[in-house]
Amino acid sequence: MINLDQQSVVLGSTPSSKEAAIEAVATILVNNGCIAPGYIESMKKREVVANTFLGNGIAIPHGLPEHRELIHKTGIAVLQVPGGVAWNPGESATLVIGIAAKSDEHIEILTNLTRLLDDSATINELSSATTADIIIEALSGQRRPVPEKAPVLDLDGFQSITETISGEHGLHARPATFLIEIAKQFEAEILVEHDGQAANGKSLASLLKLGVTKGKTIRIHAKGSDAVDALNQLKNAIESGLGETAEESNGIQVAHGWQPQSVAKTIPGINASPGLACGVVRQYVHERIIVEANAKDPDYEKNRLKQAVSAAKENLKNLHDEVRAKAGAAKAAIFQAHIAFLEDPELHAEVNELINSGRSCGFAWRQVIDDRVHALELHNDPVLAGRAMDLRDVGRRVLKHIAGTLHDQPFIPDEPVILIAEDLTPSDTAALDPALILGICTAGGGPTSHSAIIARSLGIPAIVSAGPAVLGIADHTLAILDGDSGNLYLQPSAADQESAELARRHLETLRNSEYETRFEPALTTDGHRIEVVANIGKVEEAEQAVNAGGEGVGLLRTEFLFLGRETPPDEEEQYQHYTAMLKSLNGLPMIVRTLDIGGDKEVSYLDLPAEDNPFLGERGIRLCLNRQELFLSQLRAIYRASKHGPLRIMLPMVSSIEELLAAKVLLEKARIETGADQVEIGIMVEVPSAAVMADVFAREVDFFSIGTNDLTQYVLAIDRLHPTLAAQADSLHPAVLRMIDMVVKAATEAGIWVGVCGGLAGEPLGAAILAGLGVKELSMVIPSIAAIKARLRTMTIAEARELAAKALSCQTIKQVRALQQP
Ligand code: PEP
Ligand code: MG
């Protein structure tokens, strides 16, 4: 850490303006030999692109990253301005802390500063101090020795445990959400302590402020009747990784081996998603959301905020469902973390306080979010930068509802581009079309941000934290983005473009060797065929499925047509959608699943009563049988569409034969009304009762499609969205496999075929076991198709059967996962 000495502090300054204050503090740095005079201009310029006011009278001016060569050594200078200097409208700085950062030695001082941010009394003391010592002591951390901290945390009656955080990115938003979700289940008061700081164990924002990184130790204190249970559960959860999976660690390797020879400029950033992208750049600019500063009626403002927050939560739930369907539950989990941000009691308390003081809800909300974002950014830690981005994203989402600008237009460039943005939120990223976005480069953000995770899942090369200089790059500038090394190269020579393109292709060939053979059938080496088809939810995905090697659609989740809108789609609109999909499939079969609303998929216009256990409530076929008009209009649309291509109908969540028979009456009614031919009718087997009674159901249907996602949750009694248990809801549990075996046997006996359309079908081991169990069709997310086909082509059906037999005889998930695959 650097020494802050008397020469670094100037007391009682009265600069006439912000620029004069920056100049004065920078001059201290010049005089101390930390920077060349040219860096003063850089510090002023930085202020134009980024606000360095942290709140509570503290500003931290510093220069632009590209002028780092003007820094001779790392240093910090303090300009005390007792009377304050106007920094932003309505914000005045009393402590101006100039930073010249060549290395990270100054971080400790910044961390001490963050801790002071909430401590107005100390800030007031420092702002009016008449000796530099007090300031030096406070910023060097000498004023908070651990023994002095202890009384602040009154631990009388608390029980405590000590745990080490082992996750790659420390206690970031998802593991922290995981932790608070457990903590919230207990009455006990729960505190988390780290490095002399304490946080409310039930508040996400409070926990994140601790800035706990990998390998750091935390103490958890609990007090109350269920404190022991709470501590035990928290201990187990932390020791089993707080729900983090290795998949999301940023283990990026430079795989392509490409190096540029001659480029006009290299902009270094941080690698966030691997791969090379060659093309023209395009700037992405967020619209600015305008809000009133003040408002007269606090109650009215609080109500507006409440409505905006609940609307934002509704969007997030829908987004969660979409991303989960597209990229899996782990990738979608961030949106659950965002919902947790919105439920944070401390955040709401702070906002309400500002509203009570006369601020509008928009202003108050923005202020509190900005303060927290700045506090996280101040740590200068890429992991926390990612968290800051999440917070900014969720904050902006609510602001948009307050300001009434709900629908941001998705960014659709007219040609494939490398996208440049100040920062991208997870929602921005999820809405990008990978076909048009060659690469992403952001000025800010961190490699572990959820936008980066989503970019990886979409296969888009990305770099983050490239600095504000990238925002000045003109649209259409030719560039190469290297997501492995983290560099953006501008105006590469023709030779570099060519070699980068070659390397990109080579990489693609390596990574997607299976993709080459995607159109070949999945024939085992002894000639047994498994059909590999796609799960889709949108019209455009039908074509993507075919292009990815899908042999049809095994699951069309029609509910995606019904989500995120104010009224249901009418028969005609549905007919158009289903027909367009069939046309894209060009003769390949499509299984249309009728509406599976309920559970975690809510739609406001259906006015469904709130249920304590929506997954056990009016969901799927139950809802459709209770809303026959809605159901019939969908069935008519499906039957009309069936005239345009091979189509089958599948009913979700069937749990009793009566439901199936009642639905079949309505199906026949719709068929006759539309004059359509018979089509094959099947049910999803996803409720244990349907699996157990499969022999009975088999007499009434043409096929079964096993929904392993729901079947697993109902067999194991684990909510598939449960923030802490969902990871144990593994479809490779022998109990689930035995149920599947039962269903296949009953179906074979009755002469009907079985498919699987849950997540298990898209897992290499799962697919092999399912093939061995006798499943004929595997339906999965589009990106898995080529790999699964390639996997099935490497084994004989006899080997698959042997594997399946071994799996059925296992006792645990672990034993199944450890099975040697042929
Ligand atoms: C399932 O439950 O496995 C399934 C495919 O349906 P959904 O995920 O849409 O509930
Ligand atoms: Mg299901």
Side-chain angles (χ1 to χ4, degrees), residues 292-335:
E292 294 283 308
N294 300 319
K296 289 205 174 69
D297 181 349
D299 287 340
Y300 177 74
E301 292 300 305
K302 285 179 198 163
N303 197 29
R304 270 179 75 199
L305 180 64
K306 207 166 147 190
Q307 285 174 7
V309 168
S310 72
K313 277 163 80 174
E314 174 83 26
N315 297 155
L316 285 165
K317 278 186 193 144
N318 292 337
L319 206 53
H320 173 270
D321 290 348
E322 270 193 50
V323 174
R324 196 184 52 183
K326 240 198 248 174
K331 306 288 183 321
I334 179 54
F335 298 110

Side-chain angles (χ1 to χ4, degrees), residues 715-726:
V715 167
L716 301 182
I718 296 179
D719 179 344
R720 65 193 263 189
L721 302 180
H722 194 286
T724 55
L725 298 174

Side-chain angles (χ1 to χ4, degrees), residues 168-201:
E168 194 55 35
H169 308 306
L171 206 52
H172 70 80
R174 267 171 313 160
T177 307
F178 200 86
L179 196 152
I180 60 161
E181 289 297 337
I182 297 178
K184 279 188 196 158
Q185 293 165 17
F186 296 92
E187 294 284 313
E189 184 184 345
I190 295 175
L191 298 174
V192 179
E193 188 188 351
H194 170 64
D195 200 14
Q197 290 250 85
N200 176 350

Side-chain angles (χ1 to χ4, degrees), residues 593 596 619 653 684 686 707 709-710 720:
R593 178 176 76 183
D596 186 13
R619 179 187 166 187
M653 285 296 296
M684 288 200 67
E686 49 187 349
N709 306 335
D710 277 311
R720 65 193 263 189

